[in-house]
DNA sequence: ATAAATGCAAAGGATTTGCACTAAG
DNA sequence: CTTAGTGCAAATCCTTTGCATTTAT
């Protein structure tokens, strides 16, 4: 299976909890908070502990298997898919997230490099209202 | 004084606490967490309460006098200066922040608009190592 | 006068941690 | 066997809130 391969490649042990976490992330289109993720995980693997989820989010993030974006209350997580790097436009009305292929770092990395700055991470997220929510608020 | 004008323009009452908060923010080059800000504020105005700082950060943010950027642990705040909108490259080594004039929304707003999405806020921050810290780590 | 702002203390919510136990390699 | 991973419960950290009091306008 593919998830198992991902874990092996990163020298991570294959545990039921990890499988459950990655399965949920894989089957989720938009991103999830740790809490939402946990709720889904215990449907698949009841008894899984909350701290296990948190600890794994850290580990998986550190191994580059996930990406994290900041949000109002809690951070949100998403499986990093092969397709490549992208960002999101998140609707503050309904929570829907529209993928955005454009990445500002492409234009900026060189310029920062000239100033001696070495970018290692970045965050770019857009918040607003999607068409439906925008119309509803009129 | 200038801070007082800012408050008046926004229909906010001029209180010693607010003055202290804005004074600290004004005298700070990079941005501060709420906790850091609080530590500075009580040097100027001892006895100022923690919740007062938080409440004012909310108010001032709502009035557009500040901007907020997400960070590892806590959100960071900065006085919004006249010069206009900009972003930052933050060094994970020493915390220094380099202002970045480029704003990705300029290129993206139209494209999102075509999709019906109305952007209201956005976050763009770059993290990495500045020249000094990068060399130190070699 | 009166509505906004503050202080205080307590609550809330997200995340982390210590420790003993379990299980993957 | 050995180390990473887990469960549990408690702790921590950041932030918010209710309420009585004070203060700016």
């Amino acid at each position: 299976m593919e998830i198992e391969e991902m874990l092996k490649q990163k020298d991570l042990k294959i545990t039921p909890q990890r499988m459950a976490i990655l399965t949920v992330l894989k089957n989720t289109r938009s991103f999830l908070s740790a809490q939402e993720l946990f709720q889904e995980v215990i449907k698949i693997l009841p008894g899984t502990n909350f701290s296990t989820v948190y600890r794994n989010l850290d580990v998986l993030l550190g191994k580059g298997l996930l990406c994290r974006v900041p949000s109002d209350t809690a951070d949100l997580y998403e499986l990093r898919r092969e397709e490549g790097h992208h960002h999101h436009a998140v609707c503050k009305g309904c929570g829907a997230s529209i993928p955005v292929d454009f990445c500002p770092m492409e234009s900026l990395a060189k310029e920062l490099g000239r100033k001696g700055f070495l970018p290692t991470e970045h965050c770019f997220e857009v918040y607003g209202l999607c068409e439906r929510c925008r119309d509803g608020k009129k």
Side-chain angles (χ1 to χ4, degrees), chain A:
Chain A
M1 176 159 251
E2 203 180 315
I3 294 180
E4 291 176 342
E5 283 170 25
M6 294 171 56
L7 291 173
K8 279 184 186 168
Q9 280 181 14
K10 299 291 181 180
D11 285 310
L12 294 173
K13 290 186 178 175
I14 296 169
T15 69
Q17 293 84 351
R18 236 160 230 174
M19 293 298 290
I21 290 167
L22 285 170
T23 301
V24 171
L25 286 167
K26 188 164 193 180
N27 295 336
T28 303
R29 270 272 156 265
S30 68
F31 26 37
L32 298 169
S33 68
Q35 320 266 339
E36 289 165 338
L37 175 58
F38 172 68
Q39 294 305 326
E40 294 303 312
V41 165
I42 57 177
K43 289 180 189 168
I44 298 180
L45 191 67
T48 302
N49 196 275
F50 213 43
S51 44
T52 299
V53 172
Y54 271 106
R55 270 192 279 237
N56 272 303
L57 286 174
D58 269 1
V59 171
L60 298 172
L61 201 64
K63 293 288 186 177
L65 293 173
L66 308 182
C67 54
R68 173 173 60 185
V69 317
S71 187
D72 278 348
T73 49
D75 286 344
L76 304 176
Y77 298 84
E78 183 189 49
L79 188 63
R80 205 154 156 182
R81 305 183 188 265
E82 322 65 33
E83 305 134 27
H85 183 71
H86 68 283
H87 297 281
H88 303 92
V90 183
C91 176
K92 298 203 116 185
C94 62
S97 85
I98 300 172
V100 170
D101 282 331
F102 169 75
C103 174
M105 284 314 292
E106 287 170 18
S107 5
L108 200 58
K110 288 173 202 161
E111 184 182 331
L112 286 174
R114 258 179 264 122
K115 295 184 184 174
F117 191 92
L118 174 70
T120 58
E121 300 162 50
H122 65 280
C123 141
F124 174 47
E125 298 297 315
V126 182
Y127 306 95
L129 292 174
C130 69
E131 193 155 24
R132 180 170 309 192
C133 292
R134 193 195 50 185
D135 291 344
K137 300 231 171 176
K138 270 181 185 170

